[in-house]
Structure formats: structure tokens, C-alpha cells
Amino acid sequence: LMRGVVLPRAAALLHINSWPTDYYTLDSIFFIERDTQNFGVHATYAKHIEVAIEHENVIAGTPTEINKLQLFNSPLKVLITYGSDADQQHYLRLYHEMIGWADVFDDISSLRRQLVIFGQNAPSEGIIWTAYVYDRVGFIKL
């Protein structure tokens, strides 16, 4: 559902292309254009990644995904996962530490942004989404 419906619809709203299957181990990417000059018209190589996306159903597996996202150079890196309020606060502290270690050029707060989106099941309302953006001092709720 996330790869096949949600992410392609989000990309369309942003007037950008999506690649809804694995791209160099990323779950999905958003990009502006493909490199057809070097790889042909049917190639799956983006000129560059605008948004690198990881989606993880089980929050316990997200440290691996945060680490992986730090390996990619893109203006926005997004982790989507699910967890209770207590889990969210615990993992935000963990992510902050991990991203800080990876921020060797001190630009993740300004140039290579990191967004974390948590979903939480609310029986009467469906999934409630909460988003946080990385800052040097901690994550900021959007």
C-alpha cells in the first residue's frame, strides 16, 4: 500500500517522479529526471535523488534504516514507521544520536534534511501521522 499507492500519490502531488520499488536498497525514491543520456530511455537511474525513503513496519528495525539513509546524498531523507508515544520518544533520541554521528559536514539540519514520520493506529480515526524534522538540538515536531 505504501509503495504502490501512498508514495506515488504523494509524488504526483509534488509534481515529481517516484520509483516505487527498491533503488539501491532504498524502499523508494522521488526524483526529477532519469539519466537517459548514459543509460538509455528504459533505465532506472535517476540523475539524482530528491527524496530517499525508507518505510519500516516494525519500529525495532528502524535504526538500520536511519543508518542507511545517512549513506545517501539527497535534499530530503524520510523514514516512515509506526509506534507508541513512548517508542517514538525513545527512537527519536536514538535517531538523533545516530544522525549526529553521520553529520560530518554539519549540514543535515540545513541542506540534507531528515524527516521521521510516525503512524499510530487510532481505532476511531484510522492512522494518526506525526512528523519530526532533525535539528542539531533534537527533533522538532512539525
Side-chain angles (χ1 to χ4, degrees):
L1 179 64
M2 188 62 71
R3 285 188 191 197
V5 178
V6 174
L7 294 175
R9 285 185 184 171
L13 289 171
L14 296 169
H15 305 289
I16 199 167
N17 299 304
S18 69
W19 191 257
T21 59
D22 284 355
Y23 188 91
Y24 287 96
T25 76
L26 291 168
D27 288 338
S28 184
I29 64 165
F30 292 176
F31 64 99
I32 294 175
E33 61 184 307
R34 297 176 186 209
D35 182 351
T36 56
Q37 178 181 338
N38 294 301
F39 300 103
V41 294
H42 301 292
T44 60
Y45 296 98
K47 286 191 175 179
H48 69 272
I49 298 170
E50 293 291 331
V51 183
I53 303 167
E54 279 296 324
H55 175 258
E56 182 63 43
N57 286 316
V58 180
I59 199 167
T62 58
T64 302
E65 307 303 341
I66 279 291
N67 182 274
K68 182 193 314 180
L69 284 168
Q70 304 323 302
L71 302 174
F72 291 88
N73 184 27
S74 67
L76 180 61
K77 296 171 278 190
V78 179
L79 171 67
I80 305 166
T81 192
Y82 309 88
S84 67
D85 289 336
D87 283 343
Q88 291 177 26
Q89 295 312 307
H90 167 75
Y91 281 94
L92 283 173
R93 286 188 297 274
L94 181 66
Y95 303 156
H96 188 265
E97 182 176 53
M98 294 174 72
I99 294 167
W101 293 335
D103 196 6
V104 296
F105 297 109
D106 197 29
D107 66 353
I108 294 178
S109 288
S110 58
L111 298 176
R112 297 179 296 132
R113 306 300 300 258
Q114 176 71 60
L115 179 67
V116 176
I117 302 171
F118 291 109
Q120 197 171 17
N121 194 19
S124 62
E125 301 173 55
I127 296 178
I128 297 173
W129 299 100
T130 309
Y132 295 86
V133 65
Y134 172 83
D135 188 79
R136 287 181 198 104
V137 297
F139 273 90
I140 299 170
K141 186 176 180 179
L142 300 179

